[in-house]
Amino acid sequence: MQADILRGVAQQAPGAPDQPWEAVIAAAERAPAARVPGSLRHSEESWGRLPTSEPITPAAVLVAVIEREGAHSVLLTRRAERLARHAGQISFPGGRADPGDGTPQKTALREAEEEIGLPQANVQIMGRLDDYLVGTGYRITPVVGFVAAPPAFEPDTQEVAEVFEVPLPFVMDPANYGRDKLTVGGVERRFYVLPYGAYHIWGATAAILVNFRDAVRGSC
């Protein structure tokens, strides 16, 4: 499975995870529909012409594949209820790029260590997925990493209410994904949903999982 993930992500990657942020941002701005919210690969999932907040802020998340005794899962978090934006929603560890980060890889690893206590040395970086622009103005660059036998996570309770994992076979099965819609500013928005137990995974997180799923399935 690790080889499949590495091959699939490498084939679909828009660039290297250690590419300088300046180059990542410049390439994203040149892409079609660069300022239309949604995944650049799944342009039909966009928000039509609903404007984003300005300026657009670069951010990165870590899509961590966890291995325990031969079983694999994808790590997710539930955001703290006290947060001003996206409180209580399901997300990947990650956040906005700091001036000293240099690359999406560094941003994703730093944020994961700060948010859930995952040591950067424990993550084997495997590649990068397509960007996702959210209406609040963050352009998210997902970085895929592999973590074998991870330590106990220590979430920062100011930001993270819970750390949990979704079995990789569940993530990889298209039958588990649904579609939903809502109207924002008079524009109908359609998006993926991935219900898992008590967790409602939707929006950018679900779309990034679709990109991950399709990249890996394409290499198997």
Side-chain angles (χ1 to χ4, degrees), residues 15-167:
D18 59 353
Q19 187 178 19
W21 265 121
E22 292 83 357
V24 173
I25 294 167
E29 286 295 313
R30 291 193 300 268
R35 291 177 176 263
V36 177
S39 162
L40 296 185
R41 187 180 306 167
H42 292 91
S43 58
E44 72 276 12
E45 307 308 321
S46 73
W47 290 11
R49 290 293 162 183
L50 187 69
T52 58
S53 300
E54 293 288 349
I56 292 176
T57 303
V61 298
L62 180 65
V63 183
V65 179
I66 307 295
E67 180 183 26
R68 288 191 177 90
E69 299 179 353
H72 296 85
S73 60
V74 177
L75 184 145
L76 292 170
T77 69
R78 181 168 60 84
R79 291 168 60 84
E81 297 291 346
R82 63 173 60 88
L83 295 174
R85 288 183 173 178
H86 309 295
Q89 292 186 9
I90 306 304
S91 66
F92 299 99
R96 71 174 66 197
D98 279 357
D101 286 344
T103 68
Q105 175 176 316
K106 178 60 178 176
T107 299
L109 291 175
R110 175 185 56 75
E111 286 282 343
E113 187 166 39
E114 292 174 359
E115 288 187 5
I116 64 173
L118 175 60
Q120 298 184 30
N122 286 42
V123 184
Q124 177 187 348
I125 297 298
M126 307 184 76
R128 193 176 117 200
L129 300 172
D130 286 319
D131 294 336
Y132 194 98
L133 179 63
V134 296
T136 50
Y138 289 90
R139 182 182 286 117
I140 303 168
T141 300
V143 175
V144 180
F146 185 81
V147 185
F153 298 114
E154 299 179 1
D156 176 356
T157 56
Q158 296 297 311
E159 296 190 48
V160 177
E162 182 181 2
V163 180
F164 68 99
E165 297 171 33
V166 180

Side-chain angles (χ1 to χ4, degrees), residues 184-208:
V184 181
V187 178
E188 183 180 276
R189 177 194 175 195
R190 302 174 68 243
F191 51 86
Y192 287 102
V193 293
L194 177 64
Y196 176 67
Y199 303 105
H200 184 65
I201 306 166
W202 68 287
T205 302
I208 290 169

